[in-house]
Amino acid sequence: MAWQGEVAAPAVPAPRVGDEPELLAAAHAGDAQAAHRLGKLYAQHGDRAAAKLWWELAAAGGNVDSAYNLGIWHEKHGSLEEAVTWYEAAAGTGDAEAATNLATLLLEQRGDAEAARAWFEIGATGGSRTAARRLALMYEDAGEPGTAREWHRRAATDGDAASAHDLGFLAYAAGEEEETVHWWECAARGGHAESAYCMGLYLHASRDPEGAEAYYRLAARSEHPGAASRLGGVALSRGDLRTARGWYEQAAAAGRAEDQRMAGFVCVELGDTAAASHWFGRAAAGGDAEAAFNYGLLLIAEFGDLAGGQHWFRQAAEAGHHGAAVELGGLLSVAGEHGEAQEWLADPPPPAWGRHAEPELTARAELAAAAIARRGGVPLAVADLAEVLGTWDLVTRPLHNHSDVFAWLAARSGVHMSAVEHLASVRGTLVRPGSAPWPSPNELEHVLATARDLRRRLGVR
């Protein structure tokens, strides 16, 4: 390909009706800008083949925009090598968008991360916020959060709400609270619903429920199910059952089993057993053991449906629900099926953590779970993290002086002090991000076992 001219041509005005003879004459005389405009005119008329020919002539004469258009043309028509060639021609002059498109092709079609990174840097340096964001994500995946934050900052400063959201999480994981608030607020103002929700969680965790509610409402305007769920909890705490039902049902409609179950509970309190049956049934069918247990209770108590109750008790019991196993054993005994009844009654699953942790603690747990799951991290269950936080809060509540809490707990419970210290360490990480690495799945499993052992030995539920 003949390529002439090192400097990008100035912006070319759009062709006007009646320009064709004039443009044709100029283009045939070697005017690259006229050839580019002629290509645009044919493209607007739907003649892509003619447009391609004129853009090739213009690009050969040094027109950067034509080279860029040819890259798009070949990318759309499946000619990857030609697209790369033309994007390189335009990007080589410093064209930011061409460099960004080229980098995207090289990364997504060829898997050439090294070359893609180089072109993304050219695009980002040239002012492409898309390139800056893609570059930031590549550095995150490479385990270079410091460099990633610099590129995210460039994209966010240029108005990229997603990068502002990511900067908030990177700051949160590092324990930098002012940076966290700054970037999540920026993203929320830019219409990023997840950032508004995260700001709500952060304020809730910081014991500012009024501020949290304002951000939950902002996120809920964009139909954010988590925000709707939190607003349901706020309304429920105020005794406003009808408002709570509306919010929980909005969250439940997004397929969230826990909110389907909560919608069922609120409907029971409001006396709407048909709606309660609907929501318990949906959550139970989705595998929620607590909902299955409550669905069984509802079917028996309100509809006299013993067969339905037994069915859902069995589903819940097989999923490890203690109360369902006991109820199932009782029903089987009444039905004369004493052998199976005795199996369930003699060895029911152990009782699960039945307490609801404070909203501040569940907010911390949710933020930690989201931070850990970012960029391919292994997701941890919010309920498990909340149980760790709630257990520590529960077992240390009698203490007025926490200076020797490890020895006090070890002495009272008989749990080894190292296990108590490990539980406290993970709890500290969740409450004060940045103080230590986030827990791994294996670490969380070990800490949960310690928490449950502590509660059992201390006789607290």
Side-chain angles (χ1 to χ4, degrees), residues 192-206:
H192 198 280
E194 185 66 21
S195 278
Y197 179 57
C198 287
M199 267 303 300
L201 291 175
Y202 177 82
L203 292 172
H204 223 149
S206 304

Side-chain angles (χ1 to χ4, degrees), residues 32-342:
Q33 289 192 15
H36 174 69
R37 292 177 64 194
L38 201 56
K40 287 182 67 176
L41 188 63
Y42 277 109
Q44 289 165 3
H45 290 166
D47 191 343
R48 298 286 178 178
K52 172 175 172 285
L53 291 173
W54 286 112
W55 282 333
E56 285 176 343
L57 183 62
N63 188 282
V64 176
D65 290 331
S66 279
Y68 176 72
N69 286 352
L70 285 166
I72 293 176
W73 194 96
H74 283 288
E75 185 176 354
K76 286 183 176 178
H77 289 78
S79 179
L80 178 60
E81 296 305 319
E82 289 288 330
V84 168
T85 298
W86 287 111
Y87 279 143
E88 282 181 340
T93 70
D95 186 278
E97 294 307 314
T100 302
N101 286 12
L102 174 59
T104 303
L105 269 184
L106 293 173
L107 183 63
E108 296 180 355
Q109 300 297 325
R110 287 186 180 175
D112 189 345
E114 185 175 350
R117 181 179 297 185
W119 286 112
F120 275 137
E121 286 192 3
I122 291 172
T125 303
S128 169
R129 75 182 191 189
T130 300
R133 172 161 177 76
R134 293 296 297 268
L135 199 56
L137 295 176
M138 290 183 75
Y139 276 109
E140 276 199 67
D141 291 340
E144 299 181 47
T147 307
R149 288 176 74 169
E150 289 303 313
W151 289 112
H152 272 311
R153 188 172 287 109
R154 184 174 296 207
T157 302
D158 199 28
D160 191 297
S163 272
H165 177 66
D166 287 334
L167 277 169
F169 259 119
L170 290 170
Y172 183 76
E176 299 169 7
E177 296 193 356
E178 288 187 12
E179 281 280 293
T180 300
V181 170
H182 171 73
W183 289 115
W184 279 343
E185 283 182 340
C186 284
R189 286 197 300 269
H192 198 280
E194 185 66 21
S195 278
Y197 179 57
C198 287
M199 267 303 300
L201 291 175
Y202 177 82
L203 292 172
H204 223 149
S206 304
R207 300 186 181 277
D208 180 3
E210 291 80 11
E213 184 178 352
Y215 275 99
Y216 292 149
R217 291 187 181 277
L218 179 60
R221 290 178 198 165
S222 299
E223 305 295 322
H224 192 289
S229 176
R230 285 276 171 176
L231 288 169
V234 170
L236 193 59
S237 70
R238 294 171 179 162
D240 186 350
L241 294 177
R242 294 192 180 279
T243 300
R245 174 179 177 173
W247 287 120
Y248 279 129
E249 287 186 335
Q250 181 176 318
R256 293 164 55 104
E258 183 176 349
D259 292 307
Q260 291 168 345
R261 179 179 3 111
M262 290 303 300
F265 283 134
V266 174
C267 288
V268 167
E269 292 298 316
L270 288 169
D272 190 342
T273 54
S277 178
H278 167 78
W279 289 118
F280 281 145
R282 284 192 61 179
D288 187 277
E290 184 66 23
F293 172 61
N294 282 280
Y295 192 25
L297 291 175
L298 183 70
L299 289 174
I300 294 171
E302 298 294 333
F303 304 105
D305 185 355
L306 293 177
Q310 184 179 129
H311 170 80
W312 290 110
F313 287 154
R314 187 182 302 280
Q315 295 294 314
E318 289 176 351
H321 194 285
H322 176 84
V326 173
E327 292 289 343
L328 177 60
L331 282 180
L332 291 169
S333 292
V334 172
E337 300 178 39
H338 301 293
E340 187 184 357
Q342 187 58 30

